[in-house]
């Protein structure tokens, strides 16, 4: 049995998990659209945050609600709501990120009403000296709205608990990622992706217990055979486990990533300070940014380079959800930066309506060039 089986089960049965959690605890479940949502405040209120992600099936229900030239991911997310797959949600929210996913949120709010719906104006200019006070103020308003919704006042002790749950989860997942630095890592990219995805869909207290148990046994696991080609995957939202498995079946292993279903989600912690809301605000302003928030200094690029070097990356796949402007604008500059640092990259445009076959041929060709470069 794979040590990652529980994470796979949680990911595959995410709706069942949330419904059972509700029945078991009597608590509220909130669906969120972007990883800039401050889950610390939701955990402080004993609300279960679950990320709204797509199902990767072709759909025909979003056409009247969302532009066809918005990314397939945001349409897939909205389709889940319109098809009733998230009927158990008590509330929804978004933190401002990109226009596409915001449209999915507004449309969901209009057509699938819930008792709580919140738009958090997360600043784009996260490097501005005014961003901290601004976001702290917004978090105070959000905390007030959650208190009104749940009927309970959130104390500093509650916020400390929320931060501790989140930080523990981040720390443990980082320890698992650390094992990916080994020449033949004891986990593959698909395992890592299932681990992070399941953390976005389950009660992190349970997830933390599973992570602690995993870390007891994983370091002793050894993989046989030749070391695979070490890849990094970078870009738009990506929860495409089937793609990762396909690429890894070709003699590669993903050892790191820059995804909001990966390192961008959990890499940094909220550092304790007297003003709890400021601690949370700083955490979200200082995290590895989404391209919509990565200016004027390109902090995401530096983080990508750091990861690529630390994890011994031989090549990078740069992926973009079709029509994803924020990531698309970054790709030429990123490819150049990687090349200057001796890391070849290959660009792929994702669209869930495209079958895996053509991707297989292209990834195979990329791996071939990496192996040839290794020979000379
Ligand atoms: S993939 Fe790109 S366009 Fe789509 S929601 Fe994410 S950032 Fe926005």
């Amino acid at each position: 049995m794979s040590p990652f089986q529980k994470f796979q089960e949680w990911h595959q049965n995410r709706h069942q998990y949330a419904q059972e959690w509700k029945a078991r605890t009597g608590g509220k479940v909130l669906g969120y659209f972007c990883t800039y949502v401050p889950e610390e405040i939701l955990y402080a209120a004993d609300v279960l945050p679950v990320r709204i992600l797509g199902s990767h099936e072709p759909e025909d229900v979003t056409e009247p609600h969302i532009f066809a030239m918005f990314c397939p991911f945001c349409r897939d997310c909205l389709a889940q709501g319109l098809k009733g797959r998230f009927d158990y949600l008590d509330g929804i929210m978004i933190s401002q990120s990109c226009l596409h996913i915001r449209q999915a949120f507004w449309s969901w709010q209009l057509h699938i009403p819930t008792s709580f719906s919140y738009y958090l104006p997360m600043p784009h200019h996260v490097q501005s000296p005014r961003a901290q006070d601004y976001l702290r103020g917004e978090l105070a308003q959000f905390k007030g709205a959650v208190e009104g919704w749940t009927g309970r006042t959130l104390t500093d002790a509650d916020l400390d608990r929320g931060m501790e749950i989140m930080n523990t989860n981040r720390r443990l997942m980082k320890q698992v990622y650390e094992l990916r630095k080994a020449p033949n890592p004891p986990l593959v990219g698909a395992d890592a992706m299932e681990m992070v995805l399941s953390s976005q869909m389950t009660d992190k207290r349970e997830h933390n217990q599973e992570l602690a148990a995993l870390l007891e046994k994983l370091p002793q696991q050894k993989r046989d055979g030749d070391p695979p080609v070490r890849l990094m995957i970078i870009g738009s939202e990506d929860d495409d486990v089937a793609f990762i498995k396909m690429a890894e079946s070709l003699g590669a292993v993903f050892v790191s990533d820059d995804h909001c279903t990966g390192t961008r989600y959990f890499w940094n912690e909220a550092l304790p300070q007297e003003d709890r809301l400021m601690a949370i605000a700083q955490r979200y302003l200082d995290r590895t940014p989404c391209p919509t928030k990565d200016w004027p200094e390109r902090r995401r690029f530096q983080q990508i380079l750091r990861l690529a070097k630390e994890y011994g990356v031989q090549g990078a796949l740069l992926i973009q959800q079709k029509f994803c402007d924020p990531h698309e604008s970054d790709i030429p500059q990123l490819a150049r930066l990687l090349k200057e640092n001796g890391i070849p990259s290959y660009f792929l445009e994702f669209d869930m309506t495209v079958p895996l076959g053509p991707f297989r041929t292209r990834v195979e060709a990329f791996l071939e060039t990496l192996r040839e470069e290794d020979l000379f």
Side-chain angles (χ1 to χ4, degrees), residues 71 73-74 98 100-101 236-237 290 292 321 323-327:
C71 83
F73 165 65
C74 71
C98 87
H100 298 203
I101 200 71
S236 300
E237 188 285 336
C290 162
T292 57
Q321 290 280 346
F323 305 129
C324 170
D325 308 325
H327 281 277

Side-chain angles (χ1 to χ4, degrees), residues 173-224:
M173 290 204 287
K174 232 172 146 177
Q175 285 173 27
V176 175
Y177 263 50
E178 194 63 24
L179 300 172
R180 303 174 83 184
K181 290 180 178 170
N184 211 345
L187 70 158
V188 293
D191 297 328
M193 185 174 268
E194 302 259 27
M195 174 185 77
V196 184
L197 286 173
S198 61
S199 90
Q200 297 182 339
M201 298 162 176
T202 55
D203 187 326
K204 285 186 169 58
R205 284 162 286 206
E206 277 182 66
H207 199 264
N208 288 343
Q209 284 175 7
E210 195 61 31
L211 285 169
L214 175 72
L215 282 162
E216 292 274 308
K217 48 196 170 197
L218 200 56
Q220 288 85 44
Q221 297 229 338
K222 298 274 173 280
R223 275 183 188 274
D224 300 327

Side-chain angles (χ1 to χ4, degrees), residues 63-196:
E63 197 63 27
H65 309 296
I66 205 160
F67 297 117
M69 37 65 74
F70 274 17
C71 83
F73 165 65
C74 71
R75 292 203 304 277
D76 196 7
C77 287
L78 179 60
Q80 303 311 302
L82 294 170
K83 288 178 174 180
R85 305 244 170 96
F86 280 92
D87 274 359
Y88 53 86
L89 291 184
D90 301 290
I92 56 162
M93 77 173 291
I94 192 169
S95 204
Q96 172 61 36
S97 48
C98 87
L99 293 180
H100 298 203
I101 200 71
R102 193 174 69 181
Q103 177 62 32
F105 169 78
W106 291 135
S107 193
W108 190 302
Q109 187 183 56
L110 190 65
H111 299 289
I112 314 148
T114 49
S115 67
F116 181 79
S117 174
Y118 201 88
Y119 169 79
L120 181 77
M122 172 78 208
H124 277 315
H125 193 356
V126 294
Q127 296 172 27
S128 160
R130 291 182 292 279
Q132 291 189 3
D133 286 339
Y134 175 81
L135 185 57
R136 192 211 171 279
E138 288 298 335
L139 293 184
Q141 281 196 41
F142 174 58
K143 174 173 166 283
V146 172
E147 288 173 335
W149 180 43
T150 58
R152 60 181 273 193
T153 303
L154 300 181
T155 62
D156 278 353
D158 290 326
L159 292 172
D160 286 344
R161 188 167 39 79
M163 282 194 277
E164 183 52 31
I165 293 167
M166 292 297 295
N167 282 345
T168 303
N169 195 246
R170 291 164 178 148
R171 207 171 302 141
L172 293 173
M173 290 204 287
K174 232 172 146 177
Q175 285 173 27
V176 175
Y177 263 50
E178 194 63 24
L179 300 172
R180 303 174 83 184
K181 290 180 178 170
N184 211 345
L187 70 158
V188 293
D191 297 328
M193 185 174 268
E194 302 259 27
M195 174 185 77
V196 184

Side-chain angles (χ1 to χ4, degrees), residues 107-370:
S107 193
W108 190 302
Q109 187 183 56
L110 190 65
H111 299 289
I112 314 148
T114 49
S115 67
F116 181 79
S117 174
Y118 201 88
Y119 169 79
L120 181 77
M122 172 78 208
H124 277 315
H125 193 356
V126 294
Q127 296 172 27
S128 160
R130 291 182 292 279
Q132 291 189 3
D133 286 339
Y134 175 81
L135 185 57
R136 192 211 171 279
E138 288 298 335
L139 293 184
Q141 281 196 41
F142 174 58
K143 174 173 166 283
V146 172
E147 288 173 335
W149 180 43
T150 58
R152 60 181 273 193
T153 303
L154 300 181
T155 62
D156 278 353
D158 290 326
L159 292 172
D160 286 344
R161 188 167 39 79
M163 282 194 277
E164 183 52 31
I165 293 167
M166 292 297 295
N167 282 345
T168 303
N169 195 246
R170 291 164 178 148
R171 207 171 302 141
L172 293 173
M173 290 204 287
K174 232 172 146 177
Q175 285 173 27
V176 175
Y177 263 50
E178 194 63 24
L179 300 172
R180 303 174 83 184
K181 290 180 178 170
N184 211 345
L187 70 158
V188 293
D191 297 328
M193 185 174 268
E194 302 259 27
M195 174 185 77
V196 184
L197 286 173
S198 61
S199 90
Q200 297 182 339
M201 298 162 176
T202 55
D203 187 326
K204 285 186 169 58
R205 284 162 286 206
E206 277 182 66
H207 199 264
N208 288 343
Q209 284 175 7
E210 195 61 31
L211 285 169
L214 175 72
L215 282 162
E216 292 274 308
K217 48 196 170 197
L218 200 56
Q220 288 85 44
Q221 297 229 338
K222 298 274 173 280
R223 275 183 188 274
D224 300 327
D226 293 335
V229 179
R230 302 172 71 83
L231 294 180
M232 181 170 183
I233 184 157
I234 301 168
S236 300
E237 188 285 336
D238 175 19
D239 58 328
D240 198 338
V241 179
F243 171 83
I244 300 287
K245 284 185 176 166
M246 179 277 291
E248 293 190 321
S249 74
L250 302 172
V253 63
F254 288 97
V255 291
S256 192
D257 65 77
D258 177 74
H259 275 334
C260 60
T261 50
T263 59
R264 283 210 302 275
Y265 175 60
F266 70 83
W267 211 247
N268 69 320
E269 296 185 19
L271 303 177
Q273 57 173 286
E274 190 54 36
D275 183 342
R276 273 69 170 184
L277 292 179
M278 185 56 97
I280 298 170
Q282 284 175 351
R283 189 269 159 192
Y284 286 89
L285 294 168
D286 293 345
R287 61 164 264 188
T288 312
C290 162
T292 57
K293 302 183 194 301
D294 193 23
W295 50 276
E297 190 191 332
R298 306 312 312 269
R299 293 178 179 169
R300 174 172 166 257
F301 283 15
Q302 293 315 311
Q303 169 69 353
I304 289 171
L305 208 49
R306 220 172 3 250
L307 288 175
K309 287 181 178 169
E310 282 179 14
Y311 285 77
V313 167
Q314 292 169 275
L317 289 180
L318 306 179
I319 70 110
Q320 178 213 340
Q321 290 280 346
K322 193 173 182 178
F323 305 129
C324 170
D325 308 325
H327 281 277
E328 185 173 19
S329 320
D330 269 2
I331 283 169
Q333 214 182 329
L334 193 50
R336 195 162 52 242
L337 178 75
L338 290 168
K339 191 175 175 196
E340 284 164 5
N341 284 275
I343 302 164
S345 64
Y346 191 75
F347 170 71
L348 290 171
E349 187 181 68
F350 272 23
D351 184 334
M352 99 275 297
T353 57
V354 177
L356 275 181
F359 284 128
R360 183 188 172 94
T361 314
R362 295 171 67 189
V363 173
E364 237 167 356
F366 180 53
L367 292 175
E368 206 50 46
T369 59
L370 293 179

